[in-house]
Amino acid sequence: MNSILIIILIFISINYLFELLLDVLNLGHMSKAIPNILGDVYDTATYTKQQQYKTETTKFSFILGALSFVVIFLVLYFGLLGKLHAYITQFELSSVFTTLTFFGVLFIVSQILSMPFSIWSTFVIEEKYGFNRVTPRLFVFDFLKSILLAVTLGGGLIALITLVFQASGQWFWLIALTIMLLFSLLASALYSRVIVPLFNKQTPLTSGELYDDIKELAQKVGFPVNKIFVIDGSKRSSKANAYFTGFGRNRRVVLYDTLINSMQNSEILAVLAHEVGHYKKKHMWLNFALGGVQMAIILYIFNLFAQSTDLPIALGYSNATEPIFHLSLIAFGLLFSPIEHIIGIATNLMSRRMEYQADEFASNLNYGNELISALKKLSKESLSNLTPHPAYVFVNYSHPTLFQRAKKILGTVEQQTKK
Ligand SMILES: [Zn+2]
């Protein structure tokens, strides 16, 4: 057996077992005593419901994780990716079309395999706990639109990168990096204007008591009030949310209608202040810069391996006499996965720091207590786990836990009252 393939199989097995271990630890930690300051989040009945929901979603992810692992392991073990490539080459397409066909087949197969799980999650689990608002019709339209997006954007990007790969040799990584950075800038500029409108309606707040309150806060912090939008999240789920997106002219804060309907105005302002905090602390640019550095490193290392035929051979294409972009890319991605995992942990660490900073920004505007009560409501309404395992949080959480955030915000509030 090919030694690179053995390494890849070991990596994906370790990765699977590691994630499984974290899930098991987290499940075991779920029913631990709730910290005092979070005692008022759930009443007894809702807490029971939360525990059932969490158990059910974790079991679901156990099954999904195990099946994905088995499928990927067998595909690699039997060299099916190499066989697929060999099959496609029979048609003697240009190499860009060979790559597009290859990824196209993988895309279709993965969509077919994941469809039953997506249906089960939406129409059985989320439905059972009262979250789901998606109708079968909306589900189908969402699916078709996301396919169309993936095919045009993903397909276009892959075609472009493949062309660059053939033409540029040792400078591939630098040219590809430039393309990827421009692409992600463009995507972030177009996200709210082009992509979100395919799925949701966003309306600027125009009048009313909430508008007046928001206007006052917006003026105080120097964030244009016409960049604050309400999105019809209730179309799909009863879960509430808010987010900040975009750069420069394209920046905006988006509040879910479900958030507005379930909270007091002062709590909505607190959430808004948190989101504006992300903007004030330049978190989008920081994320973009860090993402760019990460991409540069990955592309540079990939470039070192990409010209060899060892990677395609490891995936089962033993006739490889020249570099094959798509096979090398997948094999490299798998070999790089342990480092990717570490980068993911570092990214989450960074992201949690940013959340603390945004919370602090809101607390400094005197919204600390309201922010805590808003976060508690959000947790309650999405049946969040109040006692996740610390190891699970360390690896997987992009936001600190409710307990960590509440404790930190209370600290800031206390400092202010002393002043
Ligand atoms: Zn945030």
Side-chain angles (χ1 to χ4, degrees):
M1 207 167 136
N2 182 297
S3 57
I4 297 179
L5 179 60
I6 295 175
I7 296 172
I8 289 177
L9 293 177
I10 291 173
F11 279 180
I12 63 165
S13 306
I14 292 176
N15 188 30
Y16 170 66
L17 291 174
F18 181 66
E19 278 170 14
L20 187 67
L21 174 73
L22 286 178
D23 268 338
V24 171
L25 285 177
N26 205 33
L27 199 62
H29 215 256
M30 188 182 77
S31 51
K32 283 258 178 341
I34 295 173
N36 261 340
I37 52 170
L38 304 185
D40 55 350
V41 174
Y42 290 119
D43 54 62
T44 317
T46 321
Y47 189 61
T48 311
K49 192 172 153 192
Q50 186 274 331
Q51 297 280 299
Q52 284 166 350
Y53 177 62
K54 187 67 200 161
T55 311
E56 201 161 332
T57 46
T58 308
K59 277 185 189 155
F60 178 75
S61 83
F62 277 154
I63 297 169
L64 187 59
L67 287 175
S68 315
F69 170 69
V70 170
V71 168
I72 293 169
F73 192 97
L74 293 178
V75 164
L76 293 169
Y77 183 82
F78 290 109
L80 296 186
L81 295 176
K83 291 198 171 82
L84 173 64
H85 174 76
Y87 180 76
I88 295 170
T89 50
Q90 288 176 9
F91 300 100
E92 295 178 353
L93 304 163
S94 74
S95 58
V96 172
F97 277 101
T98 305
T99 298
L100 283 176
T101 311
F102 180 85
F103 282 121
V105 172
L106 291 193
F107 181 68
I108 293 168
V109 171
S110 71
Q111 289 297 322
I112 292 172
L113 292 179
S114 62
M115 181 60 88
F117 294 94
S118 175
I119 293 175
W120 186 267
S121 163
T122 307
F123 294 105
V124 178
I125 302 180
E126 296 292 296
E127 183 77 37
K128 184 170 157 191
Y129 291 90
F131 292 128
N132 181 40
R133 302 269 187 278
V134 177
T135 59
R137 186 188 141 89
L138 180 64
F139 186 87
V140 172
F141 275 95
D142 276 357
F143 176 74
L144 294 177
K145 282 188 255 183
S146 58
I147 296 274
L148 201 72
L149 260 183
V151 170
T152 48
L153 292 182
L157 190 63
I158 289 172
L160 191 60
I161 298 277
T162 313
L163 278 174
V164 171
F165 180 74
Q166 288 164 4
S168 56
Q170 61 164 327
W171 294 109
F172 164 73
W173 70 279
L174 200 56
I175 302 170
L177 177 67
T178 313
I179 294 174
M180 302 281 276
L181 290 181
L182 288 176
F183 182 83
S184 63
L185 268 183
L186 190 74
S188 119
L190 297 182
Y191 179 69
S192 289
R193 288 168 201 273
V194 180
I195 297 173
V196 178
L198 290 173
F199 298 93
N200 282 91
K201 211 191 284 169
Q202 301 169 100
T203 32
L205 274 171
T206 43
S207 59
E209 199 191 320
L210 178 64
Y211 176 75
D212 295 337
D213 288 352
I214 283 183
K215 202 169 163 188
E216 201 187 299
L217 170 66
Q219 276 164 355
K220 199 159 89 183
V221 295
F223 190 85
V225 69
N226 62 358
K227 300 278 185 193
I228 299 168
F229 289 79
V230 180
I231 195 169
D232 57 343
S234 57
K235 201 173 154 183
R236 294 194 179 76
S237 169
S238 65
K239 288 178 181 169
N241 203 354
Y243 62 88
F244 176 80
T245 175
F247 300 102
R249 272 192 309 133
N250 296 302
R251 68 191 183 279
R252 61 171 74 181
V253 169
V254 180
L255 303 169
Y256 278 50
D257 56 351
T258 38
L259 181 97
I260 292 185
N261 293 333
S262 66
M263 291 196 187
Q264 311 273 347
N265 281 5
S266 60
E267 293 165 337
I268 299 169
L269 289 177
V271 172
L272 190 65
H274 169 97
E275 297 306 333
V276 172
H278 283 307
Y279 162 68
K280 287 283 169 183
K281 306 271 172 191
K282 305 204 166 24
H283 288 163
M284 287 296 287
W285 283 112
L286 240 130
N287 280 330
F288 182 73
L290 286 174
V293 172
Q294 187 182 323
M295 217 184 290
I297 296 170
I298 293 174
L299 283 169
Y300 182 77
I301 304 175
F302 172 65
N303 211 23
L304 300 177
F305 286 91
Q307 300 302 327
S308 121
T309 50
D310 293 344
L311 296 181
I313 292 171
L315 292 194
Y317 188 60
S318 44
N319 302 334
T321 51
E322 52 177 11
I324 298 158
F325 177 69
H326 44 274
L327 291 179
S328 294
L329 187 68
I330 292 180
F332 174 77
L334 293 165
L335 283 172
F336 198 73
S337 61
I339 300 174
E340 184 116 24
H341 223 91
I342 295 167
I343 293 177
I345 293 174
T347 308
N348 276 335
L349 209 76
M350 238 2 243
S351 164
R352 292 196 296 267
R353 277 190 52 165
M354 292 178 181
E355 292 307 321
Y356 281 133
Q357 288 175 356
D359 283 350
E360 199 185 348
F361 181 84
S363 309
N364 286 335
L365 289 168
N366 284 326
Y367 287 109
N369 289 321
E370 287 80 7
L371 185 59
I372 294 180
S373 100
L375 292 173
K376 282 181 176 175
K377 271 191 187 169
L378 284 173
S379 291
K380 182 187 175 189
E381 275 156 25
S382 57
L383 296 178
S384 297
N385 181 7
L386 298 187
T387 54
H389 194 281
Y392 189 91
V393 173
F394 183 75
V395 173
N396 292 320
Y397 270 43
S398 64
H399 287 54
T401 65
L402 177 61
F403 176 60
Q404 290 170 323
R405 292 178 77 176
K407 210 169 65 175
K408 198 101 171 189
I409 296 168
L410 280 175
T412 314
V413 171
E414 212 167 286
Q415 271 181 358
Q416 278 171 342
T417 42
K418 271 186 203 157
K419 272 181 197 165

